[in-house]
Amino acid sequence: MAGWYEMKKNDKGQYSFVLKAANGEVVLRSELYESRAAADNGIASVQKNSPVDSAYTHSDASDGRFYFNLKAANHQIIGTSQMYKTAAARRAGMESVRTNGPTTAVKNEA
C-alpha cells in the first residue's frame, strides 16, 4: 500500500495537507493556504520535488532534535517533517517522503 495526502480545512477557511506513509504515519506537514487551489498546487509541488535530493534541507532544533524541510525549486518551504530523536530517524523520514511523495492519492477532509 502506498502513502497518501490528507487535505483539511480549518475553522478560518484555510487549507493544509499532510503526507502519510503507508502505515498512516504523518511524514510531512504543509503550511496553511488561503484556497483549495493553492493547497492542491502545494501537493503538486511535493509530488514533483520529493524525489529530488537537493530539495531537502536538514536542520537541528535548539533542543537537540532533528527535522527536515522540503523546498520547491524557488527555495520556498513546501513541507516540514516531525521532530526526530536521531539523525538516522530523520534520514528514514526523508526516505519515506521520497517514496510516498509522488503518490496521487488524496483524501479530502475539506
Side-chain angles (χ1 to χ4, degrees):
M1 179 179 175
W4 68 92
Y5 293 93
E6 279 187 7
M7 181 77 68
K8 295 183 181 183
K9 184 178 180 182
N10 68 17
D11 58 352
K12 294 180 181 178
Q14 297 169 311
Y15 293 84
S16 64
F17 62 85
V18 296
L19 173 60
K20 290 190 172 185
N23 65 2
E25 182 179 344
V26 173
V27 292
L28 195 72
R29 293 187 183 279
S30 75
E31 64 180 354
L32 291 173
Y33 296 92
E34 293 301 319
S35 70
R36 173 61 192 256
D40 286 338
N41 286 340
I43 288 175
S45 187
V46 173
Q47 292 166 330
K48 177 181 177 181
N49 291 289
S50 60
V52 180
D53 287 340
S54 62
Y56 293 86
T57 58
H58 308 201
S59 299
D60 300 346
S62 60
D63 64 1
R65 295 184 296 168
F66 304 89
Y67 68 100
F68 64 88
N69 290 311
L70 177 65
K71 293 186 175 185
N74 65 4
H75 305 291
Q76 289 190 328
I77 294 173
I78 311 165
T80 301
S81 73
Q82 66 181 2
M83 299 298 255
Y84 297 98
K85 291 182 180 179
T86 67
R90 175 179 60 197
R91 282 191 300 278
M94 291 169 59
E95 187 57 35
S96 182
V97 172
R98 279 188 194 93
T99 300
N100 294 291
T103 184
T104 58
V106 179
K107 296 181 181 180
N108 297 307
E109 293 187 16

